Amino acid sequence: MAAPDDKPETVTRTRGSGAQTIYERLRQSILELAIKPGSPLDEVGLSEEFGMSRTPVREALVRLAADGLVTTLPNRNTIVAPIDFTQLPVYFEALTLMYRVTTRSAAIHHREEDLIAIRSQQAAFSEAVMRRDALGMIGANRDFHVAIAQAGGNPYFTALFTRLLDEGRRILRLYYSSFEDRLPRQYVDEHEAMVTAIAARDVEACERLGAEHAAQIVKQIQSYIARSTASGIRLEDR
């Protein structure tokens, strides 16, 4: 009799596609706080949930660990990585730098097709704001800034900024919930100003707008965290 871990998949899949499916679905749930920080991730339970063997589950968890989204404890149990609020100042420093650098680079190096992609993501973001769709806002905001980074033509900047934006999605979800998902029009207007400056190849304006955009986001998130801490609310439980 074959061991449970070696059972064949119920559906024939391209090698590695099962792990990719599990990785993408868990990653999305973690980033959107559908699975809360600190929640256990049991290999057997996940294997049953996805209808796959434990091998692709393990592969997906290894990838999530590399992304900093899950943690393996000394007892070998795996949990969703807690949000380390003590590291936020360092995170914000890196995030601010990337806002400035990528927006500036996009002004210098963008092509017409890059502007089409940027404007498309901005339209999706604006629509999500109108719908008060928090998860849509967070996803479109991420894709908007990734599109700007890609327009800059530096794959290292794009990779780093993408990771920072993904890590920040959990923080943004907590923040948006603090005002019932009514995102101020200011965010949409700031994005529009960045698009205009990039299209005009106004390098100085792009760097300034990137810095200002980052600064007001950081300030508002810090204010929310301070209020929650003062009221004794555990942010992870929001």
Side-chain angles (χ1 to χ4, degrees):
M1 179 180 295
D5 191 43
D6 297 325
K7 65 184 179 183
E9 307 296 345
T10 56
V11 179
T12 301
R13 298 179 175 87
T14 303
R15 182 174 179 83
S17 65
Q20 180 68 20
T21 297
I22 297 170
Y23 167 78
E24 290 176 352
R25 287 178 55 183
L26 287 179
R27 179 175 175 275
Q28 186 77 3
S29 295
I30 291 169
L31 290 173
E32 295 177 349
L33 296 177
I35 306 177
K36 291 184 177 295
S39 298
L41 295 172
D42 176 62
E43 285 187 11
V44 174
L46 291 172
S47 175
E48 294 175 353
E49 176 182 345
F50 288 100
M52 302 183 197
S53 72
R54 290 167 61 183
T55 297
V57 171
R58 288 198 194 104
E59 292 175 2
L61 293 178
V62 167
R63 290 185 61 186
L64 291 167
D67 290 345
L69 294 176
V70 307
T71 301
T72 301
L73 303 176
N75 61 6
R76 301 188 69 179
N77 289 337
T78 301
I79 64 170
V80 175
I83 299 174
D84 187 355
F85 292 98
T86 65
Q87 289 296 308
L88 282 184
V90 178
Y91 170 79
F92 288 146
E93 181 180 8
L95 186 70
T96 299
L97 176 61
M98 295 313 300
Y99 270 116
R100 292 172 52 198
V101 169
T102 57
T103 310
R104 177 188 175 92
S105 295
I108 298 171
H109 300 292
H110 77 266
R111 298 169 297 176
E112 188 59 34
E113 55 264 38
D114 295 318
L115 288 177
I116 294 172
I118 292 169
R119 287 176 174 139
S120 175
Q121 297 302 337
Q122 170 57 6
F125 177 75
S126 180
E127 182 180 347
V129 171
M130 291 179 61
R131 295 197 313 267
R132 291 175 55 191
D133 175 5
L135 298 183
M137 288 184 249
I138 293 169
N141 177 74
R142 179 257 192 203
D143 293 343
F144 170 75
H145 288 292
V146 169
I148 290 176
Q150 290 172 334
N154 188 317
Y156 295 100
F157 287 164
T158 301
L160 175 57
F161 199 23
T162 299
R163 175 160 182 172
L164 289 170
L165 290 167
D166 282 342
E167 289 182 8
R169 284 169 67 166
R170 296 198 293 174
I171 300 296
L172 280 181
R173 187 65 192 97
L174 290 172
Y175 171 63
Y176 287 175
S177 68
S178 72
F179 49 83
E180 298 179 348
D181 297 340
R182 289 188 177 92
L183 192 67
R185 176 71 193 183
Q186 175 186 1
Y187 283 75
V188 178
D189 293 341
E190 288 179 0
H191 279 190
E192 294 289 356
M194 293 167 77
V195 175
T196 298
I198 290 169
R201 299 193 185 276
D202 190 334
V203 176
E204 292 185 3
C206 280
E207 183 162 3
R208 174 178 54 80
L209 290 169
E212 291 174 352
H213 188 60
Q216 61 90 2
I217 293 174
V218 170
K219 180 180 179 180
Q220 292 183 45
I221 292 175
Q222 288 175 329
S223 176
Y224 167 56
I225 293 172
R227 292 197 307 271
S228 298
T229 302
S231 62
I233 297 173
R234 291 184 72 251
L235 291 166
E236 295 91 334
D237 294 334
R238 289 305 295 258

